[in-house]
DNA sequence: TTTAGAATTAGAATGATTCTAATTCAGAAA
DNA sequence: TTTCTGAATTAGAATCATTCTAATTCTAAA
């Protein structure tokens, strides 16, 4: 039996490329990179199938399962966010700035809304002492200005 | 052809009972009443199948489809609220006071949290002029005090 | 070149919800 | 009372989004 090799943890080299955000990291494989780039280029808040359609134009062989897989890894690494606005498909968002989502119930459009500079969400709700908050998700539903104008 | 009878719109009489809230109304049929009462008596935020199980103790013949149907009507009438905390099953809530939901990611418990008296949500997000807000849904995720103590 | 593990895939499986078509029921009209 | 109409209810099928599975491919290190 050969001596136990002094195996190092795999390090990124060559084509392999990692991005680290908030301590987590992902290997940015070609598919993951494309899903990420397509999402970053999207101003709407696409669903997994929306992204599947868009990425297929660039990588015809990609499968929906891979898109879901990529989204899961990217979400886990904190590179993108999963958004739950209503029942049905989840939506995804590459805007990492703190923001909330406005959802127009008439046309379905989703708009990012950013909080006022002095907004401190934690102090507005009377959570029991000892509660730890890891994230908040605010969905505002209504009618967007374009629809309201009609 | 007989003369057109002067048909009046159906009015609630006898056992039939309506509740009107915010302009909407529902006939409170026995099943709807039971689903509503069971939800009001629940301190957790039950899912449709949770409610189905609980209501079946009182009305063994009820079907899951009817529970969904009742929940839809009660929600439409504004008597209860549908809550989306995570992917998967919707939860329901009979607390009509303005409040947000805290979701413990460790034990799954959901706690109602009420806003501070001076909280005016509308002014904290820079929504485009002309936007009309009909409702807001805030989910706060984290660890409840009991789980945090462990 | 071999190996080990991760990524990817197609398709099956799952879970929640919604739909469908038939039946039952309540109250109004005859 | 009996009939009628529309709503409520039902079981089961259908749908939809997602997750799982098992096989295959790929990457980078040994």
């Amino acid at each position: 039996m050969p001596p136990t090799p002094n195996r190092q943890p795999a390090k990124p080299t060559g084509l392999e490329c990692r991005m680290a955000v908030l301590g987590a990291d992902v290997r940015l494989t070609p598919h993951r990179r494309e899903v990420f780039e397509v999402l970053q280029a999207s101003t709407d808040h696409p669903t997994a199938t929306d992204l599947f359609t868009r990425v297929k134009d660039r990588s015809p062989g990609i499968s929906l399962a891979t898109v879901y897989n990529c989204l899961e890894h990217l979400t886990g690494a904190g590179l993108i966010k999963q958004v739950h606005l209503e029942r049905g498909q989840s939506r995804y968002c590459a805007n990492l700035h703190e923001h909330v989502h406005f959802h127009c119930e008439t046309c379905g459009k989703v708009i990012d809304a950013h909080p006022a500079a002095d907004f401190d969400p934690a102090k507005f709700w009377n959570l029991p002492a000892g509660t730890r908050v890891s994230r908040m998700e605010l969905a505002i539903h209504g009618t967007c200005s374009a629809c309201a104008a009609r």
Side-chain angles (χ1 to χ4, degrees), chain A:
Chain A
M1 199 203 269
T4 307
N6 181 15
R7 186 81 88 83
Q8 301 289 316
K11 274 196 241 161
T13 61
L15 285 171
E16 193 192 355
C17 184
R18 286 170 184 268
M19 276 188 77
V21 171
L22 302 173
D25 73 336
V26 244
R27 264 212 308 206
L28 270 197
T29 62
H31 280 162
R32 291 181 188 170
R33 177 183 295 278
E34 290 204 33
V35 170
F36 183 53
E37 286 177 1
V38 168
L39 180 57
Q40 276 193 311
S42 300
T43 59
D44 56 350
H45 290 67
T47 63
T49 45
D50 290 338
L51 288 166
F52 175 51
T53 307
R54 293 175 201 179
V55 171
K56 242 194 329 196
D57 291 342
R58 303 163 68 174
S59 299
I62 200 170
S63 74
L64 179 57
T66 299
V67 172
Y68 271 107
N69 181 312
C70 292
L71 290 170
E72 188 185 319
H73 282 269
L74 293 168
T75 304
L79 287 172
I80 65 173
K81 287 198 238 171
Q82 195 178 35
V83 181
H84 303 114
L85 287 174
E86 9 156 38
R87 259 216 49 75
Q89 294 179 84
S90 297
R91 291 164 174 277
Y92 296 86
C93 170
N95 177 354
L96 296 178
H97 295 111
E98 184 177 351
H99 67 286
V100 303
H101 294 105
F102 174 82
H103 174 231
C104 178
E105 289 169 324
T106 304
C107 66
K109 191 166 62 174
V110 178
I111 298 169
D112 287 352
H114 295 85
D118 63 338
F119 177 59
D120 174 10
K123 74 178 188 200
F124 288 109
W125 290 280
N126 300 302
L127 296 173
T131 305
R132 289 193 203 132
V133 174
S134 62
R135 72 196 162 85
M136 312 208 311
E137 194 174 358
L138 173 61
I140 306 176
H141 302 267
T143 310
C144 73
S145 51
C147 289
R150 281 193 211 101

